[in-house]
Amino acid sequence: MNIDAVVQKAVTSVPECVAAGYVDLASGMVLSIKTVDSHPQEVFELLAAATADLFQGPNVQAIENVFRKSRGLPENTDHHYFQEIIVNSDNLIHVFLRSKRQMQVACFVCRKGANLGMVLTRARMALPEIEAAL
């Protein structure tokens, strides 16, 4: 199954999901995105930039380096400590899950009324299939 079809499937399987996407942190590009509404291209570009900032911005990298140093690990390892980030806005739940490859992030946007536990469970279940599509 191609990446667009898998991301579309995720939109329908995650409770009250209004958008899902897959972002490549290395290139800063959205690899796939599916929404229930139309949005300007600029929104998708900002999503990629914001996701990169969340997972590999300078402050996040500094925190991860402190964690590595305190654990006696080399600073240049490919492992990252921040694997999942949940952002609650006025009307939406935004879930960001880092892939096992560490350089891609799946993003899910759901209505605020969704059960957060079910959103996380279904998003985590969708991630391996999204990863496998690339």
PDB file of all heavy atoms in Angstrom, residues 71-97:
ATOM      1  N   ARG A  71      24.103   9.996  31.375  1.00  0.00           N
ATOM      2  CA  ARG A  71      24.049   8.533  31.309  1.00  0.00           C
ATOM      3  C   ARG A  71      25.332   7.937  30.738  1.00  0.00           C
ATOM      4  O   ARG A  71      25.433   6.743  30.517  1.00  0.00           O
ATOM      5  CB  ARG A  71      22.848   8.105  30.492  1.00  0.00           C
ATOM      6  CG  ARG A  71      21.531   8.386  31.203  1.00  0.00           C
ATOM      7  CD  ARG A  71      20.342   8.135  30.300  1.00  0.00           C
ATOM      8  NE  ARG A  71      19.087   8.272  31.022  1.00  0.00           N
ATOM      9  CZ  ARG A  71      18.445   9.423  31.220  1.00  0.00           C
ATOM     10  NH1 ARG A  71      18.929  10.545  30.746  1.00  0.00           N
ATOM     11  NH2 ARG A  71      17.313   9.453  31.893  1.00  0.00           N
ATOM     12  N   GLY A  72      26.313   8.783  30.451  1.00  0.00           N
ATOM     13  CA  GLY A  72      27.586   8.311  29.933  1.00  0.00           C
ATOM     14  C   GLY A  72      27.533   7.831  28.501  1.00  0.00           C
ATOM     15  O   GLY A  72      28.357   7.013  28.079  1.00  0.00           O
ATOM     16  N   LEU A  73      26.581   8.332  27.717  1.00  0.00           N
ATOM     17  CA  LEU A  73      26.445   7.932  26.317  1.00  0.00           C
ATOM     18  C   LEU A  73      27.096   8.977  25.413  1.00  0.00           C
ATOM     19  O   LEU A  73      27.171  10.160  25.770  1.00  0.00           O
ATOM     20  CB  LEU A  73      24.965   7.792  25.951  1.00  0.00           C
ATOM     21  CG  LEU A  73      24.183   6.743  26.743  1.00  0.00           C
ATOM     22  CD1 LEU A  73      22.704   6.848  26.423  1.00  0.00           C
ATOM     23  CD2 LEU A  73      24.700   5.354  26.435  1.00  0.00           C
ATOM     24  N   PRO A  74      27.552   8.570  24.232  1.00  0.00           N
ATOM     25  CA  PRO A  74      28.130   9.552  23.306  1.00  0.00           C
ATOM     26  C   PRO A  74      27.070  10.551  22.841  1.00  0.00           C
ATOM     27  O   PRO A  74      25.894  10.199  22.684  1.00  0.00           O
ATOM     28  CB  PRO A  74      28.641   8.708  22.139  1.00  0.00           C
ATOM     29  CG  PRO A  74      28.003   7.385  22.283  1.00  0.00           C
ATOM     30  CD  PRO A  74      27.579   7.217  23.709  1.00  0.00           C
ATOM     31  N   GLU A  75      27.481  11.783  22.609  1.00  0.00           N
ATOM     32  CA  GLU A  75      26.531  12.834  22.218  1.00  0.00           C
ATOM     33  C   GLU A  75      26.003  12.666  20.801  1.00  0.00           C
ATOM     34  O   GLU A  75      24.920  13.134  20.490  1.00  0.00           O
ATOM     35  CB  GLU A  75      27.181  14.215  22.356  1.00  0.00           C
ATOM     36  CG  GLU A  75      27.302  14.667  23.779  1.00  0.00           C
ATOM     37  CD  GLU A  75      27.748  16.110  23.876  1.00  0.00           C
ATOM     38  OE1 GLU A  75      27.444  16.908  22.977  1.00  0.00           O
ATOM     39  OE2 GLU A  75      28.409  16.431  24.873  1.00  0.00           O
ATOM     40  N   ASN A  76      26.719  12.000  19.937  1.00  0.00           N
ATOM     41  CA  ASN A  76      26.322  11.912  18.530  1.00  0.00           C
ATOM     42  C   ASN A  76      25.576  10.622  18.189  1.00  0.00           C
ATOM     43  O   ASN A  76      25.597  10.173  17.058  1.00  0.00           O
ATOM     44  CB  ASN A  76      27.539  12.085  17.620  1.00  0.00           C
ATOM     45  CG  ASN A  76      28.605  11.034  17.899  1.00  0.00           C
ATOM     46  OD1 ASN A  76      28.484  10.253  18.834  1.00  0.00           O
ATOM     47  ND2 ASN A  76      29.639  11.036  17.089  1.00  0.00           N
ATOM     48  N   THR A  77      24.883  10.040  19.128  1.00  0.00           N
ATOM     49  CA  THR A  77      24.128   8.818  18.870  1.00  0.00           C
ATOM     50  C   THR A  77      22.841   9.133  18.097  1.00  0.00           C
ATOM     51  O   THR A  77      22.366  10.272  18.111  1.00  0.00           O
ATOM     52  CB  THR A  77      23.796   8.101  20.202  1.00  0.00           C
ATOM     53  OG1 THR A  77      23.103   6.902  19.905  1.00  0.00           O
ATOM     54  CG2 THR A  77      22.943   8.961  21.098  1.00  0.00           C
ATOM     55  N   ASP A  78      22.299   8.144  17.423  1.00  0.00           N
ATOM     56  CA  ASP A  78      21.068   8.332  16.662  1.00  0.00           C
ATOM     57  C   ASP A  78      19.813   8.190  17.513  1.00  0.00           C
ATOM     58  O   ASP A  78      18.714   8.406  17.036  1.00  0.00           O
ATOM     59  CB  ASP A  78      21.001   7.318  15.511  1.00  0.00           C
ATOM     60  CG  ASP A  78      21.974   7.663  14.399  1.00  0.00           C
ATOM     61  OD1 ASP A  78      22.341   8.843  14.271  1.00  0.00           O
ATOM     62  OD2 ASP A  78      22.365   6.745  13.662  1.00  0.00           O
ATOM     63  N   HIS A  79      19.986   7.805  18.763  1.00  0.00           N
ATOM     64  CA  HIS A  79      18.819   7.638  19.631  1.00  0.00           C
ATOM     65  C   HIS A  79      18.337   8.993  20.145  1.00  0.00           C
ATOM     66  O   HIS A  79      19.137   9.856  20.499  1.00  0.00           O
ATOM     67  CB  HIS A  79      19.143   6.733  20.820  1.00  0.00           C
ATOM     68  CG  HIS A  79      17.987   6.598  21.765  1.00  0.00           C
ATOM     69  ND1 HIS A  79      16.888   5.846  21.476  1.00  0.00           N
ATOM     70  CD2 HIS A  79      17.755   7.159  22.972  1.00  0.00           C
ATOM     71  CE1 HIS A  79      16.025   5.939  22.465  1.00  0.00           C
ATOM     72  NE2 HIS A  79      16.531   6.738  23.394  1.00  0.00           N
ATOM     73  N   HIS A  80      17.023   9.164  20.207  1.00  0.00           N
ATOM     74  CA  HIS A  80      16.417  10.386  20.721  1.00  0.00           C
ATOM     75  C   HIS A  80      15.503  10.038  21.883  1.00  0.00           C
ATOM     76  O   HIS A  80      14.823   9.015  21.873  1.00  0.00           O
ATOM     77  CB  HIS A  80      15.626  11.094  19.618  1.00  0.00           C
ATOM     78  CG  HIS A  80      16.489  11.551  18.502  1.00  0.00           C
ATOM     79  ND1 HIS A  80      17.182  12.737  18.540  1.00  0.00           N
ATOM     80  CD2 HIS A  80      16.797  10.969  17.320  1.00  0.00           C
ATOM     81  CE1 HIS A  80      17.871  12.876  17.418  1.00  0.00           C
ATOM     82  NE2 HIS A  80      17.657  11.814  16.666  1.00  0.00           N
ATOM     83  N   TYR A  81      15.469  10.909  22.886  1.00  0.00           N
ATOM     84  CA  TYR A  81      14.652  10.668  24.072  1.00  0.00           C
ATOM     85  C   TYR A  81      13.196  11.052  23.869  1.00  0.00           C
ATOM     86  O   TYR A  81      12.304  10.417  24.420  1.00  0.00           O
ATOM     87  CB  TYR A  81      15.236  11.415  25.281  1.00  0.00           C
ATOM     88  CG  TYR A  81      16.516  10.787  25.752  1.00  0.00           C
ATOM     89  CD1 TYR A  81      17.745  11.248  25.313  1.00  0.00           C
ATOM     90  CD2 TYR A  81      16.494   9.695  26.612  1.00  0.00           C
ATOM     91  CE1 TYR A  81      18.923  10.659  25.723  1.00  0.00           C
ATOM     92  CE2 TYR A  81      17.666   9.094  27.018  1.00  0.00           C
ATOM     93  CZ  TYR A  81      18.879   9.580  26.586  1.00  0.00           C
ATOM     94  OH  TYR A  81      20.029   8.983  26.983  1.00  0.00           O
ATOM     95  N   PHE A  82      12.960  12.094  23.107  1.00  0.00           N
ATOM     96  CA  PHE A  82      11.583  12.521  22.877  1.00  0.00           C
ATOM     97  C   PHE A  82      10.988  11.690  21.742  1.00  0.00           C
ATOM     98  O   PHE A  82      11.320  11.875  20.580  1.00  0.00           O
ATOM     99  CB  PHE A  82      11.527  14.016  22.553  1.00  0.00           C
ATOM    100  CG  PHE A  82      11.959  14.878  23.713  1.00  0.00           C
ATOM    101  CD1 PHE A  82      13.082  15.672  23.611  1.00  0.00           C
ATOM    102  CD2 PHE A  82      11.250  14.883  24.898  1.00  0.00           C
ATOM    103  CE1 PHE A  82      13.485  16.463  24.670  1.00  0.00           C
ATOM    104  CE2 PHE A  82      11.647  15.665  25.968  1.00  0.00           C
ATOM    105  CZ  PHE A  82      12.768  16.458  25.857  1.00  0.00           C
ATOM    106  N   GLN A  83      10.101  10.785  22.094  1.00  0.00           N
ATOM    107  CA  GLN A  83       9.491   9.874  21.129  1.00  0.00           C
ATOM    108  C   GLN A  83       8.047  10.258  20.792  1.00  0.00           C
ATOM    109  O   GLN A  83       7.586  10.006  19.690  1.00  0.00           O
ATOM    110  CB  GLN A  83       9.518   8.439  21.659  1.00  0.00           C
ATOM    111  CG  GLN A  83      10.920   7.899  21.880  1.00  0.00           C
ATOM    112  CD  GLN A  83      11.699   7.756  20.596  1.00  0.00           C
ATOM    113  OE1 GLN A  83      11.188   7.281  19.585  1.00  0.00           O
ATOM    114  NE2 GLN A  83      12.955   8.174  20.607  1.00  0.00           N
ATOM    115  N   GLU A  84       7.349  10.823  21.746  1.00  0.00           N
ATOM    116  CA  GLU A  84       5.957  11.221  21.535  1.00  0.00           C
ATOM    117  C   GLU A  84       5.727  12.585  22.174  1.00  0.00           C
ATOM    118  O   GLU A  84       6.204  12.845  23.277  1.00  0.00           O
ATOM    119  CB  GLU A  84       4.991  10.221  22.175  1.00  0.00           C
ATOM    120  CG  GLU A  84       5.084   8.837  21.618  1.00  0.00           C
ATOM    121  CD  GLU A  84       4.114   7.852  22.259  1.00  0.00           C
ATOM    122  OE1 GLU A  84       3.424   8.211  23.235  1.00  0.00           O
ATOM    123  OE2 GLU A  84       4.049   6.723  21.769  1.00  0.00           O
ATOM    124  N   ILE A  85       4.991  13.420  21.464  1.00  0.00           N
ATOM    125  CA  ILE A  85       4.636  14.736  21.983  1.00  0.00           C
ATOM    126  C   ILE A  85       3.146  14.933  21.743  1.00  0.00           C
ATOM    127  O   ILE A  85       2.644  14.695  20.644  1.00  0.00           O
ATOM    128  CB  ILE A  85       5.454  15.852  21.302  1.00  0.00           C
ATOM    129  CG1 ILE A  85       6.946  15.665  21.610  1.00  0.00           C
ATOM    130  CG2 ILE A  85       4.970  17.232  21.752  1.00  0.00           C
ATOM    131  CD1 ILE A  85       7.863  16.614  20.883  1.00  0.00           C
ATOM    132  N   ILE A  86       2.449  15.374  22.791  1.00  0.00           N
ATOM    133  CA  ILE A  86       1.013  15.652  22.706  1.00  0.00           C
ATOM    134  C   ILE A  86       0.819  17.134  22.987  1.00  0.00           C
ATOM    135  O   ILE A  86       1.312  17.656  23.990  1.00  0.00           O
ATOM    136  CB  ILE A  86       0.222  14.818  23.730  1.00  0.00           C
ATOM    137  CG1 ILE A  86       0.467  13.326  23.490  1.00  0.00           C
ATOM    138  CG2 ILE A  86      -1.267  15.154  23.663  1.00  0.00           C
ATOM    139  CD1 ILE A  86       0.053  12.453  24.647  1.00  0.00           C
ATOM    140  N   VAL A  87       0.107  17.801  22.093  1.00  0.00           N
ATOM    141  CA  VAL A  87      -0.185  19.221  22.253  1.00  0.00           C
ATOM    142  C   VAL A  87      -1.697  19.378  22.240  1.00  0.00           C
ATOM    143  O   VAL A  87      -2.365  18.938  21.298  1.00  0.00           O
ATOM    144  CB  VAL A  87       0.449  20.060  21.115  1.00  0.00           C
ATOM    145  CG1 VAL A  87       0.072  21.523  21.250  1.00  0.00           C
ATOM    146  CG2 VAL A  87       1.955  19.880  21.086  1.00  0.00           C
ATOM    147  N   ASN A  88      -2.226  19.990  23.288  1.00  0.00           N
ATOM    148  CA  ASN A  88      -3.653  20.281  23.345  1.00  0.00           C
ATOM    149  C   ASN A  88      -3.863  21.758  23.043  1.00  0.00           C
ATOM    150  O   ASN A  88      -3.365  22.614  23.763  1.00  0.00           O
ATOM    151  CB  ASN A  88      -4.216  19.951  24.735  1.00  0.00           C
ATOM    152  CG  ASN A  88      -4.220  18.472  24.996  1.00  0.00           C
ATOM    153  OD1 ASN A  88      -4.795  17.707  24.232  1.00  0.00           O
ATOM    154  ND2 ASN A  88      -3.564  18.051  26.053  1.00  0.00           N
ATOM    155  N   SER A  89      -4.587  22.036  21.970  1.00  0.00           N
ATOM    156  CA  SER A  89      -4.917  23.421  21.643  1.00  0.00           C
ATOM    157  C   SER A  89      -6.365  23.669  22.047  1.00  0.00           C
ATOM    158  O   SER A  89      -6.995  22.810  22.669  1.00  0.00           O
ATOM    159  CB  SER A  89      -4.689  23.688  20.147  1.00  0.00           C
ATOM    160  OG  SER A  89      -5.540  22.887  19.358  1.00  0.00           O
ATOM    161  N   ASP A  90      -6.905  24.819  21.712  1.00  0.00           N
ATOM    162  CA  ASP A  90      -8.271  25.157  22.132  1.00  0.00           C
ATOM    163  C   ASP A  90      -9.291  24.107  21.708  1.00  0.00           C
ATOM    164  O   ASP A  90     -10.157  23.740  22.486  1.00  0.00           O
ATOM    165  CB  ASP A  90      -8.693  26.518  21.562  1.00  0.00           C
ATOM    166  CG  ASP A  90      -8.004  27.683  22.245  1.00  0.00           C
ATOM    167  OD1 ASP A  90      -7.473  27.496  23.362  1.00  0.00           O
ATOM    168  OD2 ASP A  90      -8.005  28.790  21.656  1.00  0.00           O
ATOM    169  N   ASN A  91      -9.196  23.637  20.477  1.00  0.00           N
ATOM    170  CA  ASN A  91     -10.225  22.740  19.938  1.00  0.00           C
ATOM    171  C   ASN A  91      -9.701  21.398  19.459  1.00  0.00           C
ATOM    172  O   ASN A  91     -10.486  20.575  18.998  1.00  0.00           O
ATOM    173  CB  ASN A  91     -10.940  23.430  18.764  1.00  0.00           C
ATOM    174  CG  ASN A  91     -11.585  24.723  19.184  1.00  0.00           C
ATOM    175  OD1 ASN A  91     -12.309  24.771  20.164  1.00  0.00           O
ATOM    176  ND2 ASN A  91     -11.287  25.791  18.470  1.00  0.00           N
ATOM    177  N   LEU A  92      -8.393  21.188  19.536  1.00  0.00           N
ATOM    178  CA  LEU A  92      -7.818  19.993  18.923  1.00  0.00           C
ATOM    179  C   LEU A  92      -6.775  19.336  19.822  1.00  0.00           C
ATOM    180  O   LEU A  92      -6.192  19.976  20.697  1.00  0.00           O
ATOM    181  CB  LEU A  92      -7.146  20.364  17.592  1.00  0.00           C
ATOM    182  CG  LEU A  92      -8.048  20.973  16.520  1.00  0.00           C
ATOM    183  CD1 LEU A  92      -7.221  21.565  15.397  1.00  0.00           C
ATOM    184  CD2 LEU A  92      -9.036  19.938  15.994  1.00  0.00           C
ATOM    185  N   ILE A  93      -6.553  18.057  19.548  1.00  0.00           N
ATOM    186  CA  ILE A  93      -5.459  17.291  20.147  1.00  0.00           C
ATOM    187  C   ILE A  93      -4.482  17.004  19.021  1.00  0.00           C
ATOM    188  O   ILE A  93      -4.877  16.508  17.963  1.00  0.00           O
ATOM    189  CB  ILE A  93      -5.960  15.954  20.736  1.00  0.00           C
ATOM    190  CG1 ILE A  93      -7.000  16.180  21.821  1.00  0.00           C
ATOM    191  CG2 ILE A  93      -4.792  15.125  21.256  1.00  0.00           C
ATOM    192  CD1 ILE A  93      -7.728  14.896  22.238  1.00  0.00           C
ATOM    193  N   HIS A  94      -3.217  17.330  19.223  1.00  0.00           N
ATOM    194  CA  HIS A  94      -2.179  17.090  18.221  1.00  0.00           C
ATOM    195  C   HIS A  94      -1.226  16.046  18.798  1.00  0.00           C
ATOM    196  O   HIS A  94      -0.646  16.264  19.857  1.00  0.00           O
ATOM    197  CB  HIS A  94      -1.397  18.373  17.928  1.00  0.00           C
ATOM    198  CG  HIS A  94      -2.271  19.554  17.637  1.00  0.00           C
ATOM    199  ND1 HIS A  94      -2.531  19.984  16.358  1.00  0.00           N
ATOM    200  CD2 HIS A  94      -2.954  20.391  18.459  1.00  0.00           C
ATOM    201  CE1 HIS A  94      -3.321  21.038  16.401  1.00  0.00           C
ATOM    202  NE2 HIS A  94      -3.600  21.308  17.673  1.00  0.00           N
ATOM    203  N   VAL A  95      -1.071  14.930  18.103  1.00  0.00           N
ATOM    204  CA  VAL A  95      -0.198  13.853  18.567  1.00  0.00           C
ATOM    205  C   VAL A  95       0.918  13.675  17.542  1.00  0.00           C
ATOM    206  O   VAL A  95       0.655  13.525  16.347  1.00  0.00           O
ATOM    207  CB  VAL A  95      -0.976  12.536  18.749  1.00  0.00           C
ATOM    208  CG1 VAL A  95      -0.046  11.398  19.121  1.00  0.00           C
ATOM    209  CG2 VAL A  95      -2.071  12.706  19.792  1.00  0.00           C
ATOM    210  N   PHE A  96       2.153  13.687  18.029  1.00  0.00           N
ATOM    211  CA  PHE A  96       3.337  13.527  17.188  1.00  0.00           C
ATOM    212  C   PHE A  96       4.096  12.302  17.675  1.00  0.00           C
ATOM    213  O   PHE A  96       4.481  12.240  18.842  1.00  0.00           O
ATOM    214  CB  PHE A  96       4.240  14.758  17.287  1.00  0.00           C
ATOM    215  CG  PHE A  96       3.572  16.043  16.883  1.00  0.00           C
ATOM    216  CD1 PHE A  96       2.839  16.779  17.796  1.00  0.00           C
ATOM    217  CD2 PHE A  96       3.686  16.505  15.583  1.00  0.00           C
ATOM    218  CE1 PHE A  96       2.228  17.974  17.431  1.00  0.00           C
ATOM    219  CE2 PHE A  96       3.074  17.701  15.206  1.00  0.00           C
ATOM    220  CZ  PHE A  96       2.341  18.427  16.131  1.00  0.00           C
ATOM    221  N   LEU A  97       4.316  11.325  16.794  1.00  0.00           N
ATOM    222  CA  LEU A  97       5.006  10.083  17.146  1.00  0.00           C
ATOM    223  C   LEU A  97       6.239   9.912  16.268  1.00  0.00           C
ATOM    224  O   LEU A  97       6.129   9.848  15.039  1.00  0.00           O
ATOM    225  CB  LEU A  97       4.088   8.870  16.937  1.00  0.00           C
ATOM    226  CG  LEU A  97       2.715   8.890  17.613  1.00  0.00           C
ATOM    227  CD1 LEU A  97       1.900   7.685  17.177  1.00  0.00           C
ATOM    228  CD2 LEU A  97       2.869   8.922  19.109  1.00  0.00           C
TER     229      LEU A  97
END
